[in-house]
Amino acid sequence: MIKVITYGTFDLFHEGHYKLLQRAKQLGDYLIVGVTTEEYDQARGKLNVKDSLLTRIENVKKTGFADEIIVEESQGQKFRDIKKYNIDIFTVGSDWIGSFDYLKDYCKVIYLDRTKNISSTMLRIQVEPIQRIGIIGTGRIANRFVPEAALVSGVNARGVYNPNLKSAKLFANKWGIDAYEDIEEFYQASDIVYIASPHGSHYSYVKQALEHGKHVLCEKPLCFSKEQAKELFRYAKDKGLILFEGIKTAYCPGFAKLIGIACSGIIGSIRGVEACFTKLESNSKRELGDMTYGGSFIELGSYCMLPILKLFGYDYEEVRFDSIKNENGIDLYTKVCIRYPNGLATATCGLGVKSEGKLLISGTEGYIVVEAPWWKTSYFEVHHENPSDIERFSERFLGDGLRYEVCDLLSKIGGDTRNDFKLTRSDSETMAGIMEQFLAEREGRRMNP
Ligand code: CTP
């Protein structure tokens, strides 16, 4: 009996898939089809797959060509499957020519001609027209955003607005997009607005973009008052628009895995969360130059509050702030202590003060440690009383990681609510409330030293 194996995502099942499976079956007597998991697709950079794994398996099954369907979860699995299932022929479409030649030592490798003019990517675009992204702001993060967004099929960075037209033009030339002087024209040419302007302008731009009927992805911090955050989310909901706060950690697969594992009881009941993020920056930079919205906690606090709120929730009893400030009253180093009925959390932020950027989650039966850069979560360890008893977990974090939030935003616009848990409206509102309290105390102390 000749055994054949093939793999694919088989998203939005189409004629190309059907013909590939038909020909694969004709190559032998028994066909095994490997269907990729969502996690594996994400890890290899294939974002924005529409159908669930179950639907994709069901569609492969319906063709009647597969004698057996397996799930492909990770890189390196093909080699193991070939051994495990005693495979004679490995086959995939001709778009992969050369990629699997390394398997030739173990079985025959056949690249079948790809069916012309059809692909899942094409269908995704037909199902949901390309969303045009307009960018407000031209700083460092906006420059990272454009190449990341380019990796997500279904969106396209098209235009940029900056009240300083010269900066907008420089940015536009660099990325081959349009610069706008007139913000009305900018909104007309955008479906989604990505806001990466100075912190103090976030609230008004978010509001304006929503009023123009646009979905919004706003860099953290979204705004500096709980009431304002509530108002923005309420407005977006009423208008049927999506508003996302861009805290990249929240959307990356490793962080979702970390939270899932921490909440599974693996370290018993969680009693402590300590998150630290520090950067060495020169004083001239925006972070310390902005007298109202500069400083270490405003700049980095969103990251540190994220695991705290995800693990302990919103019903804290007390928040205390302590900072070391520069001569302008801007905090260089801040510790925030949040007390919960059954747990203690600290967020430590530094600009121009360096510390070990670690995330430590302590429980009644062990602890989880995520080393720096934990905010780009890719590896973590679970420890117990016995020091040699360590469980290790890893997940891919690709590039600058902004692709994940763009991908989730796009899915949400398409009506997919599966990822809603990653960063909720309550998370953002609570963070805005804590920032509000911090700023009030900082102001108060500055006024009455
Ligand atoms: N395939 C094919 N002809 C097409 C499309 C896909 O023969 N027009 C083959 C691929 O070469 C692969 C299998 O079908 O062997 C599964 O491909 P998959 O990547 O799931 O489909 P694509 O349509 O290529 O998906 P995407 O656009 O997301 O890359």
Side-chain angles (χ1 to χ4, degrees):
M1 182 165 77
I2 298 174
K3 284 180 119 182
V4 182
I5 198 161
T6 189
Y7 296 85
T9 306
F10 303 104
D11 188 29
L12 302 176
F13 200 88
H14 56 69
E15 186 198 345
H17 295 145
Y18 185 89
K19 287 189 173 157
L20 185 286
L21 293 177
Q22 187 175 40
R23 284 171 296 155
K25 172 75 180 176
Q26 285 163 1
L27 291 173
D29 307 303
Y30 191 84
L31 176 66
I32 301 179
V33 182
V35 183
T36 53
T37 62
E38 282 150 29
E39 290 74 20
Y40 179 45
D41 274 324
Q42 282 234 343
R44 64 192 185 125
K46 192 165 187 171
L47 304 166
N48 201 21
V49 171
K50 294 286 167 217
D51 289 338
S52 70
L53 175 60
L54 275 182
T55 305
R56 292 180 286 121
I57 289 177
E58 202 47 46
N59 287 335
V60 169
K61 204 180 199 173
K62 276 190 209 151
T63 63
F65 298 129
D67 296 289
E68 191 172 341
I69 298 175
I70 59 170
V71 169
E72 187 185 21
E73 287 176 283
S74 62
Q75 218 179 1
Q77 186 181 321
K78 290 184 179 75
F79 169 77
R80 291 197 302 276
D81 289 343
I82 285 167
K83 294 262 168 215
K84 180 173 164 188
Y85 297 104
N86 225 348
I87 295 298
D88 301 291
I89 299 173
F90 168 92
T91 186
V92 276
S94 51
D95 43 326
W96 294 101
I97 280 185
S99 302
F100 297 105
D101 287 357
Y102 69 93
L103 296 172
K104 280 184 178 165
D105 289 343
Y106 310 98
C107 65
K108 206 167 164 186
V109 174
I110 298 178
Y111 299 103
L112 292 168
D113 279 345
R114 200 179 151 86
T115 307
K116 291 196 173 51
N117 301 324
I118 181 91
S119 73
S120 303
T121 307
M122 263 174 59
L123 293 178
R124 278 183 217 119
I125 292 168
Q126 281 167 13
V127 177
E128 283 161 19
I130 294 266
Q131 296 278 338
R132 302 162 302 164
I133 303 186
I135 300 167
I136 300 182
T138 51
R140 198 174 44 188
I141 186 77
N143 274 289
R144 285 190 193 147
F145 180 83
V146 181
E148 285 280 318
L151 297 165
V152 181
S153 62
V155 294
N156 218 322
R158 289 281 175 83
V160 62
Y161 173 79
N162 185 327
N164 177 339
L165 185 62
K166 202 174 148 209
S167 298
K169 280 188 170 161
L170 275 173
F171 187 91
N173 282 342
K174 178 173 176 187
W175 296 111
I177 61 177
D178 298 323
Y180 289 88
E181 192 171 10
D182 178 354
I183 199 155
E184 293 300 322
E185 282 177 22
F186 165 81
Y187 283 128
Q188 259 172 37
S190 314
D191 303 305
I192 298 171
V193 175
Y194 171 60
I195 297 169
S197 55
H199 297 337
S201 62
H202 286 180
Y203 168 76
S204 51
Y205 277 133
V206 173
K207 200 169 169 194
Q208 192 180 49
L210 292 172
E211 282 166 357
H212 282 78
K214 308 301 165 186
H215 302 295
V216 175
L217 171 61
C218 179
E219 264 308 315
K220 41 117 207 113
L222 175 66
C223 59
F224 298 101
S225 111
K226 191 168 192 169
E227 225 9 83
Q228 284 186 345
K230 283 186 166 176
E231 177 203 329
L232 294 174
F233 280 110
R234 215 182 296 128
Y235 188 85
K237 189 163 185 249
D238 290 348
K239 295 274 170 196
L241 298 167
I242 310 300
L243 168 59
F244 263 36
E245 183 174 9
I247 304 175
K248 67 169 184 275
T249 311
Y251 305 94
C252 78
F255 187 76
K257 187 175 200 169
L258 169 74
I259 297 300
I261 286 176
C263 292
S264 72
I266 198 168
I267 56 165
S269 302
I270 297 169
R271 293 285 180 257
V273 179
E274 292 165 55
C276 176
F277 193 162
T278 62
K279 279 202 284 191
L280 291 181
E281 295 283 344
S282 93
N283 266 21
S284 60
K285 294 242 171 88
R286 167 184 59 80
E287 287 92 339
L288 293 175
D290 182 338
M291 300 289 284
T292 316
Y293 299 114
S296 66
F297 184 61
I298 297 297
E299 184 62 25
L300 303 168
S302 311
Y303 290 114
C304 295
M305 284 190 282
L306 177 70
I308 297 174
L309 298 185
K310 284 288 168 214
L311 295 168
F312 279 146
Y314 317 120
D315 296 327
Y316 51 82
E317 292 173 337
E318 190 194 11
V319 184
R320 279 181 295 117
F321 306 97
D322 223 334
S323 298
I324 301 297
K325 293 184 246 178
N326 69 6
E327 59 286 0
N328 298 321
I330 297 302
D331 63 300
L332 303 174
Y333 186 61
T334 290
K335 271 188 184 287
V336 181
C337 298
I338 310 181
R339 163 179 275 283
Y340 287 84
N342 283 310
L344 290 176
T346 55
T348 305
C349 304
L351 279 181
V353 176
K354 195 67 193 165
S355 187
E356 194 178 357
K358 198 187 261 190
L359 170 61
L360 188 61
I361 305 166
S362 312
T364 52
E365 288 168 30
Y367 67 91
I368 302 177
V369 63
V370 199
E371 301 292 347
W374 63 263
W375 48 94
K376 299 180 180 179
T377 323
S378 60
Y379 174 76
F380 54 94
E381 293 179 354
V382 178
H383 293 245
H384 300 281
E385 188 63 28
N386 175 355
S388 57
D389 174 15
I390 303 172
E391 289 165 86
R392 297 176 169 85
F393 297 88
S394 57
E395 194 67 62
R396 255 219 262 169
F397 181 93
L398 296 170
D400 279 318
L402 297 167
R403 63 194 70 179
Y404 302 115
E405 63 193 45
V406 178
C407 187
D408 283 358
L409 173 66
L410 192 60
S411 306
K412 176 85 179 164
I413 291 171
D416 182 346
T417 53
R418 270 179 301 173
N419 293 305
D420 280 6
F421 70 95
K422 291 184 184 168
L423 188 71
T424 65
R425 178 177 169 168
S426 300
D427 291 330
S428 290
E429 289 171 359
T430 307
M431 284 185 201
I434 294 175
M435 293 236 167
E436 180 178 17
Q437 198 178 331
F438 172 78
L439 284 176
E441 288 191 22
R442 192 171 77 173
E443 289 292 315
R445 282 207 283 269
R446 208 189 302 164
M447 284 185 291
N448 309 302

